[in-house]
Amino acid sequence: MLPSRPVLALGYLLTLALSQSFQFREYDFLQFLGLDQVPSPQKFQPVPYVLKKIFQDREAAAATGVPQDLCYVKELGVPGNVLRLLPDQGFFLSSKKLSQASPCLQKLLYFNLSAIKEKEQLTMAQLGLDLGPRSYYHLGPELELALILVQEPPEWGQASPKPGKIFSLHSVPSPQGALYFNLLDVAKDWNDNPRKNLGLFLEILVKEDRDSRMDFQLEDTCARLRRSLLASLLVVTFNPEQCSSSSRKRRAAIPALGASYKNLCHRHQLFINFQDLGWHKWIIAPKGFMANYCHGDCPFSLTTSLNSSNYAFMQALMHAVDPGVPQAVCVPTKLSPMSMLYHDNDDNVILRHYEDMVVDECGCG
């Protein structure tokens, strides 16, 4: 039976760690991660708290052996096995002389969804708008924030897009902190029809004059908003093929082997250090992991006691009768998952959970 993709990916990592055919194997592993080449982040995006929390929860569960559902994000309450933080690639629009009736800020928000693969199903798309740090000592004026779907590209000779339907109208008591908007339906439409993805038009207007120094305050508020505004889109996707229930049965662990059995099939420790591979520049966490590997002999006399499958026993039996039949080999029989936080080729921050990345037990197969 052919090994699964995760087992092959683990094999590629082991080969990389042993420096065998590095470039070829590196390409194969990058393909497994959904990358075309080694990422070279131009701008490191800050990792949001929610991604850090999910990653830490997965790490803690793996360390304690708690069963995990890698295809459901309990912190967000949605199915999914890949989380991506997409940075805003839009631009500010030039503003005319500010007045209370004119917009304080206008910006095109654009998010590239091309990293989402064909078989991935969107289960969450949350727009985050960070208006700057909170302060209880310098509250700004009340704002009105409008999000408008761009339905038509800019007309000939115009730099700004043509706004369409208002998606959301939101009152902001003071221009501080983060706001979140559900863009799932919009993102699904963009993902199904990429030509429709013309972005969102963000407009912020000062709603009221609090004192006679309104002109100064308006200029100051708008300038601060332009400096501090950060926009990102957190998308969660679910791949049914990667989340199918496993039919593998957990086998009993192999007893500790004495010195006389050191050549028999068993698990060996191997730590994969991403810095040694030069991947620390784009993998955020972990810095490495204990992957382990299986190695050793599978003699017919001990096949039944080496955590073997029935097929391996029959193969060993046939090898004893006919040496032309290859011997059973030492392979992983129980593997556990791991999570990775990394940058992709588009500078997106990705949190992804991978099955079968750490060898827990070995047997003959």
Side-chain angles (χ1 to χ4, degrees):
M1 182 173 64
L2 292 175
S4 64
R5 286 189 65 193
V7 174
L8 286 174
L10 179 59
Y12 295 153
L13 276 177
L14 299 180
T15 303
L16 288 172
L18 297 173
S19 301
Q20 298 175 6
S21 305
F22 182 87
Q23 292 182 344
F24 173 73
R25 294 302 187 180
E26 181 183 43
Y27 175 78
D28 286 335
F29 184 68
L30 292 173
Q31 288 289 301
F32 170 74
L33 293 181
L35 302 173
D36 298 325
Q37 58 186 355
V38 175
S40 299
Q42 300 299 315
K43 181 180 180 181
F44 287 91
Q45 300 297 325
V47 181
Y49 171 78
V50 64
L51 292 190
K52 291 181 181 178
K53 179 68 166 58
I54 295 171
F55 176 79
Q56 292 168 353
D57 289 347
R58 300 284 188 180
E59 288 271 279
T64 56
V66 176
Q68 304 179 65
D69 184 354
L70 298 184
C71 293
Y72 185 80
V73 188
K74 65 179 181 179
E75 292 84 354
L76 302 176
V78 295
N81 64 322
V82 183
L83 294 84
R84 295 180 174 91
L85 184 70
L86 309 181
D88 171 33
Q89 299 180 12
F91 52 87
F92 286 99
L93 303 179
S94 58
S95 57
K96 301 177 181 179
K97 184 177 180 180
L98 294 174
S99 67
Q100 190 174 10
S102 65
C104 177
L105 177 151
Q106 291 181 318
K107 189 179 193 300
L108 174 69
L109 306 178
Y110 180 79
F111 303 98
N112 185 357
L113 303 181
S114 62
I116 300 174
K117 305 304 178 184
E118 183 178 355
K119 295 181 180 179
E120 295 180 32
Q121 301 172 5
L122 268 167
T123 59
M124 178 178 173
Q126 184 183 74
L127 171 66
L129 295 178
D130 190 342
L131 303 180
R134 292 185 178 276
S135 170
Y136 295 99
Y137 301 100
H138 302 286
L139 296 178
E142 186 174 359
L143 304 178
E144 184 177 85
L145 184 150
L147 281 172
I148 306 169
L149 284 173
V150 179
Q151 297 178 334
E152 296 182 22
E155 295 181 357
W156 180 259
Q158 294 184 348
S160 60
K162 186 176 181 181
K165 177 183 177 182
I166 294 180
F167 173 75
S168 177
L169 194 62
H170 197 82
S171 179
V172 185
S174 61
Q176 300 171 45
L179 302 173
Y180 299 98
F181 302 87
N182 182 1
L183 286 189
L184 181 58
D185 292 337
V186 173
K188 282 183 176 179
D189 191 30
W190 286 347
N191 193 46
D192 294 338
N193 305 280
R195 291 185 178 181
K196 288 187 177 182
N197 185 5
L198 300 175
L200 291 168
F201 185 78
L202 171 65
E203 186 173 84
I204 298 179
L205 180 73
V206 175
K207 290 187 66 176
E208 62 182 42
D209 177 13
R210 293 193 173 182
D211 59 35
S212 59
R213 300 180 63 190
M214 182 275 298
D215 290 338
F216 172 78
Q217 289 186 349
L218 184 62
E219 292 281 354
D220 183 63
T221 297
C222 296
R224 185 176 61 81
L225 280 173
R226 289 178 68 95
R227 290 193 305 268
S228 60
L229 178 65
L230 290 175
S232 61
L233 186 66
L234 176 63
V235 295
V236 182
T237 60
F238 173 83
N239 189 329
E241 291 186 356
Q242 296 175 353
C243 290
S244 57
S245 59
S246 175
S247 60
R248 294 189 307 273
K249 295 181 179 180
R250 180 171 179 169
R251 301 177 182 275
I254 304 176
L257 299 174
S260 60
Y261 295 97
K262 64 180 181 180
N263 292 328
L264 296 180
C265 174
H266 67 284
R267 185 187 65 180
H268 299 256
Q269 288 191 345
L270 176 64
F271 182 77
I272 302 293
N273 188 329
F274 291 136
Q275 185 165 3
D276 291 342
L277 302 176
W279 293 358
H280 61 289
K281 297 178 181 178
W282 57 277
I283 294 181
I284 303 169
K287 302 303 181 184
F289 70 104
M290 188 66 74
N292 304 322
Y293 68 98
C294 297
H295 183 70
D297 299 329
C298 291
F300 170 66
S301 58
L302 292 177
T303 300
T304 55
S305 63
L306 291 179
N307 203 19
S308 307
S309 64
N310 294 333
Y311 177 82
F313 174 77
M314 295 303 299
Q315 183 176 351
L317 180 63
M318 289 303 300
H319 174 76
V321 176
D322 180 4
V325 177
Q327 286 185 323
V329 295
C330 187
V331 295
T333 55
K334 180 177 179 292
L335 301 103
S336 56
M338 67 167 289
S339 301
M340 284 179 58
L341 261 173
Y342 61 93
H343 295 273
D344 70 0
N345 302 124
D346 297 315
D347 290 350
N348 303 319
V349 176
I350 313 294
L351 172 58
R352 192 163 184 171
H353 310 298
Y354 295 97
E355 286 276 12
D356 302 340
M357 291 297 290
V358 178
V359 175
D360 294 325
E361 297 175 7
C362 301
C364 297

